[in-house]
Amino acid sequence: CLLRTINSGGPMKISKAILALVCTIPLVLTACSSGDSTDTGATADGDSTAASGDPIIIGFAADLSSTYAYYDQPMLEGAQLAVDEINETGGVLGRPLDLKVVDIRNDPAEATKAVQEMIDEGAVYLIGSTGDVIAAEGAIACEAGVPISTGDGTAPTLVDDIGECAFQVLMNDTIQGATAAEYALAQGYKTAFLLGSPEYAYTANLPGYFSEVFTAGGGEIVGETSFTIGAGDFSAVVTKIANADPAPDVIFTPIFVPDTPVFMRQLRQAGVTLPVISTDGNLDPSLADAGADAIDGMVFTAPVCTSDGNEDIAAFYETYNARNGSDPSSAVAALGYDEINILAQTIETAGASDSASIMAGLANAQYDGITGRTEMNPETRRANKPAAMILMEGTNFTCLPAPAFPSLVPAP
């Protein structure tokens, strides 16, 4: 989602309640500050199968009150649920998991301090923030030889930029760009107009990934322009699209909320009715703020397709709601849940919980979770994991049938 770079899963409906995405102080934290960590590990009182002994420490230096709280907050919620369930059923190797969390507010200095403190306290694994602080977090982690994930970050270059300690356990942008292109070709679209932004690797590179697969399948790119993130007015961009000659069959853009509602309203108000395909930065209920007329028919890729018709995800939401009295902030929570379970399986398989054993095990991890099958590529340390496709029907998020893994995936 969004800034995921060091440099710069018959249609099923997703209810707004399920996708509710709220930037609030974490449900599992009472307070967070730059120097305060919260031990959120828990066991069920009186449960004879509850884990005991020295804990296996997991750290999460997360943005819980700034821009990337939209992603780190639900990652935390899902991870915490997984920790609680695992601890209540015997733990990992008979030991409890201990999830330590610090709100670093997307501040690199605070992230560096928090990660170092977590490692000093014995953390053997780190969940990375989605924000650009992942650069600072990864540097400290790799220096200490502690594995770190890219969290909800999907830029494929992240693992190489961070180093040998980094792992990406969700789909990456090459996969979602290729998935979007194959979807476009399957709809019979022959020509496309690309709209990106050079400001972030996410918005800069995804149009290229889409283009490579679209043109390889016989499509043609007939126009391209860029937008300014956070501009608040996209009328100039809309004019270029409206005047494109020849007119394209489809628009592809990795624009993300809160820009997407503004762009889509202006596009439709200008009389441009072309179909729009976008990416996972739109898995956010605020997309509906554009109004049904503006976003009806829009399609976008996503790392997870939550729906009332998905039994695994439905069970996840029911369990979370029973424990917390509300749904998780967004479908991204399912990714945090699966990440902890992948880690637990890796430790159990290795029979050891030290960082070196975890890194060796993660490189070859295979896991069937609530977000789909994760197969790690040991050479790239990135998961070969398919993307989901979501169709907007008015303001309703509709999960399309799961697309196959792309036949062609561009190089990062």
Side-chain angles (χ1 to χ4, degrees), residues 129-412:
S129 174
T130 309
D132 49 343
V133 296
I134 187 65
E137 295 179 354
I140 299 297
C142 283
E143 183 177 357
V146 175
I148 184 171
S149 76
T150 64
D152 189 34
T154 59
T157 55
L158 278 176
V159 290
D160 292 330
D161 290 342
I162 294 172
E164 294 293 326
C165 73
F167 294 83
Q168 194 165 50
V169 298
L170 74 166
M171 66 159 200
N172 67 68
D173 291 341
T174 61
I175 294 172
Q176 67 171 328
T179 300
E182 291 191 350
Y183 173 84
L185 291 167
Q187 303 312 300
Y189 303 143
K190 303 297 185 182
T191 60
F193 190 101
L194 306 180
L195 174 62
S197 171
E199 297 173 74
Y200 295 162
Y202 178 74
T203 50
N205 295 337
L206 264 163
Y209 301 147
F210 174 93
S211 177
E212 181 175 340
V213 176
F214 188 69
T215 55
E220 179 184 0
I221 305 302
V222 295
E224 184 172 2
T225 192
S226 63
F227 68 95
T228 299
I229 295 170
D233 181 4
F234 302 99
S235 56
V237 171
V238 168
T239 297
K240 289 182 179 179
I241 296 173
N243 293 334
D245 186 17
D249 293 334
V250 65
I251 300 167
F252 173 77
T253 176
I255 197 169
F256 52 84
V257 295
D259 288 345
T260 310
V262 180
F263 168 69
M264 291 300 296
R265 280 197 299 267
Q266 292 183 330
L267 187 72
R268 298 315 186 205
Q269 288 168 359
V272 179
T273 59
L274 294 169
V276 175
I277 299 176
S278 191
T279 49
D280 68 319
N282 295 291
L283 186 58
D284 184 335
S286 67
L287 177 63
D289 293 344
D293 291 342
I295 57 175
D296 183 51
M298 178 182 173
V299 176
F300 62 90
T301 51
V304 57
C305 205
T306 304
S307 75
D308 296 331
N310 185 313
E311 294 182 358
D312 291 337
I313 297 293
F316 168 73
Y317 271 89
E318 289 172 4
T319 299
Y320 187 93
N321 195 300
R323 287 175 177 263
N324 297 281
S326 63
D327 286 340
S329 297
S330 83
V332 171
L335 298 172
Y337 183 85
D338 269 1
E339 180 169 337
I340 292 297
N341 280 289
I342 291 170
L343 173 63
Q345 175 184 276
T346 299
I347 295 173
E348 287 282 2
T349 300
S353 62
D354 61 282
S355 292
S357 296
I358 292 173
M359 282 195 282
L362 281 175
N364 295 284
Q366 297 185 23
Y367 180 76
D368 291 302
I370 61 173
T371 64
R373 181 165 180 79
T374 299
E375 294 186 1
M376 293 301 298
N377 183 323
E379 296 182 359
T380 65
R381 305 186 312 283
R382 295 190 293 265
N384 293 326
K385 189 170 184 178
M389 294 294 297
I390 295 176
L391 167 68
M392 297 305 298
E393 293 187 313
T395 56
N396 294 318
F397 294 76
T398 300
C399 185
L400 295 174
F405 191 82
S407 58
L408 170 63
V409 176

Side-chain angles (χ1 to χ4, degrees), residues 27-42:
L27 298 174
V28 298
L29 301 179
T30 56
C32 282
S33 66
S34 60
D36 297 331
S37 66
T38 301
D39 177 354
T40 59

